[in-house]
């Protein structure tokens, strides 16, 4: 099992940052792929129970939001088969820090054929630039 941890500070209130990470339609601004809601959540359209399809060139899979506590926590897991990946769970925690917000984003990942380290590294490289870009947009 591999772990990814990305911590990023934003010069914006928790509610503002949460809004970007909680909406399926704005996730495409943060990292590669197109995110489309295919099932609405229980209490909010993109909240607990919602399912989004992630569309990348040559690959489509679905993620389900498993935890949603506005404005502090979003948890999700992959619920459809993805080549090689056997487990993927992500959680984004947001908390006030100074005059802004700290994002603590963790992903657990496991894969077949010893590929977890390679996939984790590629995923981290794909995620960090978009998160940094969003943080810079609040400067």
């Amino acid at each position: 099992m591999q772990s990814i941890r990305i911590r990023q500070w934003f010069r914006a209130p928790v509610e503002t940052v949460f809004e970007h990470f909680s909406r399926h339609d704005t996730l495409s601004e943060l990292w590669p792929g197109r995110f489309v809601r295919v099932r609405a959540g229980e209490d909010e359209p993109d909240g607990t129970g919602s399912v989004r399809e992630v569309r990348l060139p040559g690959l489509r899979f679905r993620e389900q939001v498993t935890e949603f506590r506005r404005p502090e926590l979003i948890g999700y897991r992959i619920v459809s088969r993805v080549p090689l990946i056997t487990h993927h769970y992500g959680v984004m925690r947001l908390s006030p820090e100074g005059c802004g917000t700290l994002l603590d984003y963790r992903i657990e990942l496991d894969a077949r054929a010893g590929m977890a380290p390679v996939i984790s590294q590629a995923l981290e490289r794909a995620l960090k630039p978009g998160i940094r870009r969003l943080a810079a947009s609040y400067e």
Side-chain angles (χ1 to χ4, degrees), residues 9-97:
W9 186 80
F10 295 81
R11 185 180 300 277
V14 173
E15 294 80 8
T16 302
V17 179
F18 184 87
E19 195 62 28
H20 250 93
F21 286 96
S22 67
R23 292 182 41 211
H24 300 334
D25 63 339
T26 60
L27 291 175
S28 298
E29 298 170 12
L30 300 173
W31 39 73
R34 186 163 167 248
F35 294 75
V36 177
R37 182 186 332 115
V38 294
R39 186 172 76 206
E42 299 159 9
D43 297 327
E44 294 193 37
D46 295 331
T48 303
S50 67
V51 176
R52 59 188 172 228
E53 184 171 79
V54 181
R55 298 174 182 174
L56 298 161
L59 179 66
R60 287 184 180 199
F61 60 92
R62 292 185 175 191
E63 298 176 337
Q64 182 175 29
V65 175
T66 57
E67 300 174 82
F68 190 89
R69 288 196 308 269
R70 186 175 287 280
E72 62 194 43
L73 179 91
I74 304 162
Y76 68 93
R77 64 186 172 95
I78 290 180
V79 293
S80 63
R81 185 164 153 47
V82 179
L84 297 177
I85 296 176
T86 58
H87 171 78
H88 177 110
Y89 177 74
V91 65
M92 294 174 251
R93 295 180 192 279
L94 295 111
S95 57
E97 183 169 293

Side-chain angles (χ1 to χ4, degrees), residues 107-136:
I107 297 173
E108 297 175 350
L109 177 84
D110 209 357
R112 297 187 212 323
M115 292 297 295
V118 173
I119 294 170
S120 291
Q121 188 175 45
L123 184 57
E124 188 170 5
R125 279 193 207 141
L127 295 173
K128 278 185 175 180
I131 293 171
R132 286 185 185 140
R133 242 186 344 270
L134 178 60

